[in-house]
Amino acid sequence: MSDILTLRPAEDCRWDCVSFGEVMLRFDPGHGRVRNARQFNVWEGGGEYNVARAMRKCWGKRAAAVTALPVNDLGWLVEDLMMQGGVDTSHVIWREFDGIGRNTRVGLNFTEKGFGVRAALGCSDRANSAASQIAPGEVDWDRLFGEEGVRWFHTGGIFAALSPNTAQAVIEAVKAARKYGTVVSYDLNYRASLWKSQGGKPGAQAINREIAQYVDVMIGNEEDFTACLGFEVEGLDEHISAIDPANFKTMIATAVREFPNFKVAATTLRNAKTATFNDWSAILWAGGEFYASQMRENLEIYDRVGGGDGFASGLAYGFLEGKGPQAAVEYGAAHGALAMTTPGDTSMVRASEVEAVMHGKGARVIR
């Protein structure tokens, strides 16, 4: 199965993983609510960035992020948090700041964890952010992919949805990655609120189907594949609360027939019984076969944000290490499960903890 993905040799590349997307500040009210909070914990996070950070902090790989930040204290705060996460910042685009944020700013994300019957809640304040202004021609992809070398490049639909220019920048990036033999993973991550200004679902499908032509590893949940690529899932209820894996496998088979460049297609499967208890597993297609992770029924959730990004990074690690598709889906599902046991968007676990969960050791005192 080693020929599923052709990865550039580690010794020929400066980076094992590079992400391309916005890095926001997350304001977390703890166990309370945003609407009456008096204090917040602050984390950095972003659907694409979280994968690179986990690649460095959990998996011990060399990681960098391509993004943009304003030259002010909030931009420097994000940079400091990225540096704490071990993610290289040499490819950050710095934008001059006008003093009040009219021209550029850091995107803010206020997120509640949810509990029991109260669902998690996110409230974003991200218009005119520095990253949303990234346009084709701003990033020297020949330097990054050609001179420095990248083994795995990760981006996604959240960043592509921010503006017409970010969509075009993603297309430019994945074309360049393909040119230099870098594996491209893409998380569809559909957000209706972001695509609303770009034509809704038809607009999302037009952009994502163009990007999909250059993707090796396509990641997304059931709603992502239907909304972004137009593939239907039989038996899916209107709220997408539960899914029959057999029907979803049929949809993935259809997707890989239409996009033969997909070497791997994967999804997490979540049945959110409450905000606190979810059934959680994952499916991966590779080399004409399907691979399923173990099912974790009634998984206790502390903070669900970042679970899918945790899955994406674990999957990437499995393939980067040559462990094969079954190991990749197990690493991804276990890491995603653990990512949801800690606050913030980013992973706060080590590879040894992921492997312990994979082998069923569960919650035990580590001395």
Side-chain angles (χ1 to χ4, degrees):
M1 306 302 291
S2 60
D3 59 348
I4 290 174
L5 292 173
T6 302
L7 288 153
R8 296 180 64 179
E11 59 270 22
D12 293 347
C13 298
R14 181 178 178 185
W15 308 113
D16 295 302
C17 178
V18 170
S19 69
F20 184 35
E22 182 170 24
V23 186
M24 304 173 69
L25 288 174
R26 173 177 170 179
F27 289 79
D28 183 346
H31 295 292
R33 307 215 66 178
V34 169
R35 65 187 63 164
N36 60 358
R38 298 297 179 267
Q39 61 184 16
F40 294 91
N41 287 319
V42 181
W43 322 91
E44 91 282 21
E48 298 82 17
Y49 163 80
N50 296 341
V51 174
R53 189 187 190 281
M55 194 60 69
R56 173 63 186 88
K57 293 296 283 186
C58 179
W59 309 114
K61 297 297 184 181
R62 303 162 298 172
V66 180
T67 190
L69 295 169
V71 181
N72 64 18
D73 283 273
L74 290 182
W76 295 327
L77 172 58
V78 174
E79 179 192 38
D80 188 67
L81 291 167
M82 292 172 65
M83 293 170 72
Q84 290 181 51
V87 178
D88 180 86
T89 60
S90 62
H91 291 278
V92 172
I93 300 167
W94 290 96
R95 303 199 187 284
E96 290 302 317
F97 177 62
D98 65 3
I100 60 173
R102 184 179 289 114
N103 71 325
T104 191
R105 56 193 290 262
V106 169
L108 309 179
N109 183 25
F110 297 82
T111 304
E112 299 174 7
K113 296 179 178 67
F115 184 83
V117 296
R118 177 171 58 85
L121 174 70
C123 181
S124 293
D125 180 16
R126 65 194 303 176
N128 304 316
S129 67
S132 72
Q133 298 170 34
I134 296 176
E138 279 200 277
V139 179
D140 187 347
W141 298 115
D142 289 322
R143 172 193 162 198
L144 181 61
F145 293 124
E147 296 176 21
E148 296 182 10
V150 180
R151 303 184 71 204
W152 193 286
F153 179 67
H154 182 76
T155 187
I158 290 179
F159 184 58
L162 291 185
S163 62
N165 48 277
T166 59
Q168 294 305 311
V170 169
I171 292 169
E172 177 186 63
V174 295
K175 286 182 176 179
R178 171 64 63 88
K179 172 184 174 182
Y180 287 102
T182 296
V183 167
V184 175
S185 65
Y186 187 82
D187 193 335
L188 291 162
N189 247 334
Y190 179 70
R191 299 290 186 272
S193 59
L194 294 179
W195 285 105
K196 186 176 181 180
S197 63
Q198 290 205 68
K201 284 186 180 180
Q205 290 175 16
I207 291 297
N208 282 294
R209 290 179 69 86
E210 183 170 358
I211 293 168
Q213 301 173 60
Y214 304 97
V215 172
D216 301 292
V217 181
M218 183 60 82
I219 302 168
N221 65 25
E222 53 271 26
E223 182 184 13
D224 298 330
F225 272 90
T226 58
C228 295
L229 297 179
F231 300 115
E232 298 300 322
V233 186
E234 295 180 10
L236 196 63
D237 68 36
E238 62 176 328
H239 302 295
I240 314 185
S241 60
I243 191 168
D244 182 343
N247 290 331
F248 189 66
K249 288 180 180 181
T250 300
M251 187 197 68
I252 292 184
T254 301
V256 298
R257 281 197 300 270
E258 186 157 345
F259 292 98
N261 52 288
F262 291 177
K263 305 297 191 301
V264 175
T267 183
T268 58
L269 299 176
R270 182 198 298 270
N271 179 20
K273 297 175 177 178
T274 69
T276 312
F277 290 98
N278 292 187
D279 294 338
W280 172 263
S281 64
I283 294 176
L284 180 148
W285 175 92
E289 302 290 339
F290 285 97
Y291 302 85
S293 76
Q294 62 178 289
M295 167 63 74
R296 293 178 171 85
E297 295 184 351
N298 296 316
L299 180 70
E300 292 182 89
I301 306 296
Y302 182 75
D303 183 345
R304 69 173 280 170
V305 179
D309 304 328
F311 169 73
S313 73
L315 180 154
Y317 171 76
F319 281 111
L320 283 168
E321 291 295 289
K323 294 179 179 292
Q326 184 62 53
V329 74
E330 295 287 7
Y331 270 101
H335 185 240
L338 279 168
M340 294 186 290
T341 67
T342 57
D345 295 17
T346 59
S347 169
M348 299 181 183
V349 299
R350 294 290 187 184
S352 59
E353 294 174 303
V354 178
E355 290 172 341
V357 167
M358 288 170 60
H359 294 110
K361 293 185 179 180
R364 53 185 290 184
V365 177
I366 298 176
R367 301 187 187 280

